[in-house]
Amino acid sequence: AVAVALNDHLGPIEIAALRFFIAAPLLAVATLLWKGPGIFRIERKDVPTIVGMAITGVTLQYVLQVTAQSYTTANDASLLINTSTFFILFLSASFLGERLTASRVMGAFIGFGGVALLVSGGTLAFSLGKAGDLMIVVCAFLWAIYSILGKKISGKYDALTTLNWAFILGTIGLVPFYLFTPHRSLTEIPLAALGSIVFLAIFCSIVAYLVYNLALEKMDASQVGLFIYFVPLATIVFSYLILGQGLTMMTGIGGLLVLAGMWIAERTK
């Protein structure tokens, strides 16, 4: 979906901002109609936590992530964003008191090896060391902070409460970046690009974030972080099923390593 919008010459920050300009009000209206206005109530003492989630999970997350694409390769970015799993593992142990077991750490490393094979097509051809690489690692760290903050208040509020406020405040934060970077008039955006942005807003923003926040309610943050490895695995599978892209023995091994890493991480508590 991002590739379609980029091919129609929309700017990266423009794409990131527009997806949340759609996602935030759409989620808010749907939540209001479904749950009523009471779902939006939060205690004043939790405002800093939710602002932190908005900044780390939406505003800075996407400003840095899309900007980094111009200063690194797609392979490097796809690999390094998965370092968020390690940040979540160690931050959850430090700030949430979750157990950092040997099997969970070992599983994380094995799964990361699988991700490396998947995103490189089995070649392990990475050219790390560029400025964009550091920006992607910062994004991974920011996502870990979002996860820790979300877990911290997950038992206190409905997932829709925290998600709505993170989207609303995070989207407000994106406004100045949108205004001060090149962007088209909404009437000039091609239909295909607009469709891809709507797809990003509904499925990659509302649905994906909601599932992630719901998972934080039910599981340890360190467990949820490991499931991030399924993103590149799912990308490979759907590319094969929908686009007909070929699978190699090395990408197959990468997928098995991801699954093995997940099994090892979760087989003991």
Side-chain angles (χ1 to χ4, degrees):
V2 174
V4 171
L6 288 172
N7 287 338
D8 281 321
H9 306 293
L10 270 69
I13 289 182
E14 182 179 16
I15 296 169
L18 288 175
R19 69 184 275 185
F20 283 99
F21 290 170
I22 295 171
L26 184 61
L27 178 63
V29 170
T31 302
L32 183 64
L33 293 175
W34 181 25
K35 297 282 190 175
I39 193 74
F40 292 94
R41 295 195 188 100
I42 57 173
E43 294 182 20
R44 183 174 299 179
K45 66 179 182 179
D46 293 321
V47 170
T49 299
I50 293 177
V51 169
M53 291 178 66
I55 293 172
T56 58
V58 178
T59 306
L60 288 184
Q61 179 66 226
Y62 283 95
V63 168
L64 284 175
Q65 197 172 133
V66 299
T67 302
Q69 305 301 320
S70 301
Y71 302 98
T72 188
T73 65
N75 276 4
D76 289 1
S78 298
L79 176 71
L80 293 173
I81 197 65
N82 283 276
T83 59
S84 60
T85 295
F86 296 100
F87 289 125
I88 293 172
L89 279 174
F90 293 108
L91 288 178
S92 63
S94 300
F95 295 100
L96 299 176
E98 295 182 4
R99 291 181 60 205
L100 187 61
T101 63
S103 61
R104 192 162 288 179
V105 174
M106 184 185 301
F109 274 104
I110 292 172
F112 190 75
V115 169
L117 287 173
L118 288 172
V119 302
S120 67
T123 66
L124 295 179
F126 299 101
S127 52
L128 303 176
K130 296 174 289 296
D133 295 338
L134 178 60
M135 296 169 73
I136 293 295
V137 172
V138 171
C139 287
F141 183 69
L142 290 173
W143 186 255
I145 295 176
Y146 171 87
S147 302
I148 301 306
L149 293 175
K151 180 61 179 178
K152 180 182 174 183
I153 60 173
S154 62
K156 188 173 183 178
Y157 298 106
D158 190 293
L160 283 169
T161 303
T162 54
L163 185 59
N164 267 286
W165 281 114
F167 271 25
I168 292 168
L169 298 175
T171 301
I172 292 172
L174 286 170
V175 170
F177 293 99
Y178 175 76
L179 294 177
F180 291 104
T181 54
H183 58 273
R184 293 187 185 185
S185 166
L186 295 180
T187 58
E188 297 175 350
I189 297 176
L191 190 59
L194 185 59
S196 68
I197 291 170
V198 171
F199 177 87
L200 288 169
I202 295 175
F203 294 103
C204 301
S205 298
I206 295 175
V207 174
Y209 273 73
L210 182 57
V211 169
Y212 191 84
N213 281 25
L214 286 170
L216 286 174
E217 285 186 356
K218 309 296 183 183
M219 304 165 65
D220 287 350
S222 53
Q223 289 179 290
V224 178
L226 286 162
F227 283 94
I228 292 171
Y229 289 159
F230 275 124
V231 175
L233 178 58
T235 300
I236 295 295
V237 171
F238 282 113
S239 294
Y240 170 73
L241 294 175
I242 298 174
L243 302 177
Q245 294 183 359
L247 295 176
T248 67
M249 182 178 71
M250 294 305 289
T251 54
I253 292 173
L256 290 176
L257 284 175
V258 168
L259 296 175
M262 293 291 299
W263 179 77
I264 291 171
E266 295 305 312
R267 68 192 178 95
T268 57
K269 296 297 182 181

